[in-house]
Amino acid sequence: ASSFKGRTASLAKKLKKMTEFVFIDAPHELPFIYQTPMPELNVNCASSSPPSPPPPLDNCKKKFAWFVAPNFDGSSAADWKVADGPFDPLQYQQQTNGYDISVSHLKNVFSQEGPFDGILGFSQGAAMTALISAQQEKLKGEMDFKFVVLCSGFALRMKEMECGPIKCPSLHIFGNEHGKDRQIANQASKELASLYDSDCSAIVEHDCGHIIPTRSPYIDEIKDFLGRFL
């Protein structure tokens, strides 16, 4: 929450006359994992360099997630662990466990800190927000909201998303084909947007990378969407 609050300070400032943001941590605390470089082999098949030491723990901030991998054991020790395989840039597509805990966590947030008009999610947070909006009718009374804003989002292949066009009003903000978002592909965000009823959704494509843009014309389009709910 504190990290995202810092990254969206400019957005909050430009929307301060329209909105108030409440930032929350996801419920799954993640372990510290680091990748060791692949050893180079010399002619006698011995490693040419010793294993790399873990990064320093100084200034390492806790990280939280809405979804975790199937092999996640729930531990969040303060020490670094070596990754059990090479980094997979598409690993987020397989991180689908932990949804029930995340929903329960959000219900508590709505109960204790709500009411809220809308939900804004970024990256994995947008995937979580998409699932919540797909279940909007089922969650009425426990999580009431009017709209969602999905930034650099993607759809997880889960049964909760199999409900036909999602009729919750939605704003989709993501990098265009040349938008330099190296985390979530343009096509993945487009596919998520296509799951929503086009009569009540809006799309903002930008060229700013894996961020929420705050310069014109993007900020004006964001304001136009939020203005519907004032």
Side-chain angles (χ1 to χ4, degrees), residues 151-169:
C151 308
S152 295
F154 57 93
L156 289 172
R157 288 171 174 78
M158 296 173 62
K159 67 181 188 301
E160 288 83 2
M161 294 294 290
E162 299 170 2
C163 57
I166 302 171
K167 298 189 179 299
C168 177

Side-chain angles (χ1 to χ4, degrees), residues 24-93:
I24 59 172
D25 286 323
H28 302 285
E29 186 178 342
L30 300 176
F32 291 115
I33 297 175
Y34 75 104
Q35 191 83 51
T36 58
M38 292 297 290
E40 296 178 7
L41 299 181
N42 58 23
V43 290
N44 66 0
C45 297
S47 176
S48 61
S49 59
S52 61
L57 278 172
D58 299 343
N59 301 320
C60 285
K61 294 183 178 179
K62 290 181 178 180
K63 301 290 184 182
F64 300 89
W66 296 105
F67 301 99
V68 292
N71 61 353
F72 180 68
D73 61 8
S75 65
S76 55
D79 296 328
W80 284 93
K81 296 179 181 178
V82 179
D84 56 8
F87 175 72
D88 177 6
L90 298 179
Q91 64 178 331
Y92 65 86
Q93 297 174 349

Side-chain angles (χ1 to χ4, degrees), residues 31 71 76 82 98 101-102 110 121 159 161 180 189 199 222:
N71 61 353
S76 55
V82 179
I101 291 173
S102 290
F110 267 71
K159 67 181 188 301
M161 294 294 290
K180 301 171 185 172
S189 294
D199 290 338
I222 295 171

Side-chain angles (χ1 to χ4, degrees), residues 96-118:
T96 57
N97 285 30
Y99 172 68
D100 291 342
I101 291 173
S102 290
V103 170
S104 178
H105 176 63
L106 283 174
K107 287 177 181 178
N108 288 335
V109 170
F110 267 71
S111 173
Q112 295 169 15
E113 302 188 45
F116 300 111
D117 292 304

